[in-house]
């Protein structure tokens, strides 16, 4: 994302599921006491703290200054740095790199993988989960349809996400030198908190899709998206997002 639009309070309050699901990924990472581990896209630091509790020497990076400031406030005893994964400053520094629900924001995946490869020690592992092919497809398709109905230009170009298949991503991993030892693609319908769950999700995550759109029209579009998707994504009094995740593990050779 180009601008730092994150609302860290809304993120912590309404989107705590992001780090809750990430706790499973910590199990896949299987951190050992004393390991040096980089959390790429640490947000407000909750998963970095889980690693810290397990005796890890953890460093968190994020490209959002607001997120990093909030993380430092919540966990002043953990090292957090403002860094972009496509310009990482580390070399042979970490036993593992961990990343949860972030790499779908990185539209230069090969550059990011090269930097992470360089930052790992030999035999170090890269363990990541993020949105895979088909992620939030129903939401994205409806949003595009509504933006076009209001004659918003270049809608597809404003999509801020990269949702690869495991074939595509594993190939990129191999191209930068990783041995891919695990890859998985699965559905995870994800409950969104409250009656305004989908609206909050759109306000939190789809900001760039509305660039240049008048506030009033934006509100109309959001209401239309909500109305169109209610039959499919609002079930048993709850909104669900049609998440599809990929999980990968690569070893630095
Ligand atoms: C995700 O976690 O899959 C996601 C979050 C925000 C926007 C798009 C995808």
């Amino acid at each position: 994302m180009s601008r730092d639009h994150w609302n860290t309070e809304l993120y912590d309050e309404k989107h705590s599921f992001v780090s809750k699901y990430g706790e499973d990924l910590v199990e896949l990472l299987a951190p050992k006491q004393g390991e040096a581990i980089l959390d790429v896209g640490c947000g407000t630091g909750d998963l970095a703290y889980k690693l810290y509790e397990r005796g890890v020497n953890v460093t968190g990076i994020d490209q959002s200054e607001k997120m990093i400031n909030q993380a430092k406030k919540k966990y002043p005893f953990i090292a957090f740095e403002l860094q972009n994964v496509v310009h990482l400053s580390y070399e042979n520094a970490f036993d593992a790199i961990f990343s949860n629900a972030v790499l779908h924001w990185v539209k230069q995946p090969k550059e990011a993988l090269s930097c992470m490869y360089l930052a790992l020690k030999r035999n170090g592992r890269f363990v990541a989960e993020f949105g895979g092919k088909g992620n939030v497809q129903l939401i994205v398709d409806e949003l595009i349809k509504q933006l076009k109905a209001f004659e918003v230009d270049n809608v597809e170009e404003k999509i801020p996400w990269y949702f690869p298949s495991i074939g595509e991503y594993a190939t990129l991993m191999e191209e930068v030198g990783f041995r891919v030892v695990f890859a998985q693609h699965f559905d995870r319908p994800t409950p969104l908190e409250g009656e305004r769950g989908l609206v909050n999700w759109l306000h939190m995550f789809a900001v760039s899709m509305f660039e240049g759109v008048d506030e009033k029209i934006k509100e109309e579009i959001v209401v239309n998206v909500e109305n169109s998707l209610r039959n499919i994504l609002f079930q048993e009094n709850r909104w669900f997002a049609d998440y599809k995740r990929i999980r990968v593990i690569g070893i630095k050779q």
Side-chain angles (χ1 to χ4, degrees), residues 66-209:
K66 289 185 193 163
M67 291 287 190
I68 286 294
N69 288 341
Q70 183 75 354
K72 284 181 173 168
K73 223 191 267 176
K74 284 164 71 178
Y75 308 111
F77 41 84
I78 295 178
F80 291 108
E81 291 183 18
L82 184 64
Q83 281 208 41
N84 187 325
V85 66
V86 298
H87 304 291
L88 279 184
S89 65
Y90 307 105
E91 235 175 274
N92 299 318
F94 296 101
D95 298 299
I97 292 183
F98 170 85
S99 183
N100 178 54
V102 167
L103 293 173
H104 47 246
W105 294 104
V106 178
K107 294 187 97 176
Q108 296 159 276
K110 196 162 179 185
E111 286 80 351
L113 284 166
S114 294
C115 286
M116 291 190 283
Y117 189 85
L118 197 65
L120 281 169
K121 297 177 190 169
R122 200 168 139 74
N123 294 322
R125 62 205 188 281
F126 164 59
V127 178
E129 175 179 319
F130 59 103
K133 194 173 169 63
N135 195 37
V136 290
Q137 192 79 55
L138 291 166
I139 300 175
V140 173
D141 287 350
E142 188 57 36
L143 184 54
I144 289 174
K145 189 173 144 196
Q146 293 296 338
L147 286 160
K148 286 186 173 168
F150 281 85
E151 295 180 355
V152 176
D153 291 332
N154 306 319
V155 174
E156 275 88 0
E157 286 161 33
K158 291 179 177 159
I159 296 174
W161 308 300
Y162 166 67
F163 298 137
S165 67
I166 43 176
E168 182 181 335
Y169 204 70
T171 301
L172 292 179
M173 287 170 70
E174 287 178 349
E175 281 172 7
V176 307
F178 282 109
R179 181 163 67 94
V180 179
V181 295
F182 178 85
Q184 193 183 21
H185 189 188
F186 57 98
D187 288 2
R188 183 192 282 142
T190 298
L192 306 175
E193 214 176 281
E195 172 68 23
R196 286 176 57 81
L198 182 61
V199 170
N200 285 336
W201 190 96
L202 291 166
H203 283 299
M204 182 84 200
F205 295 123
V207 176
S208 69
M209 301 290 287

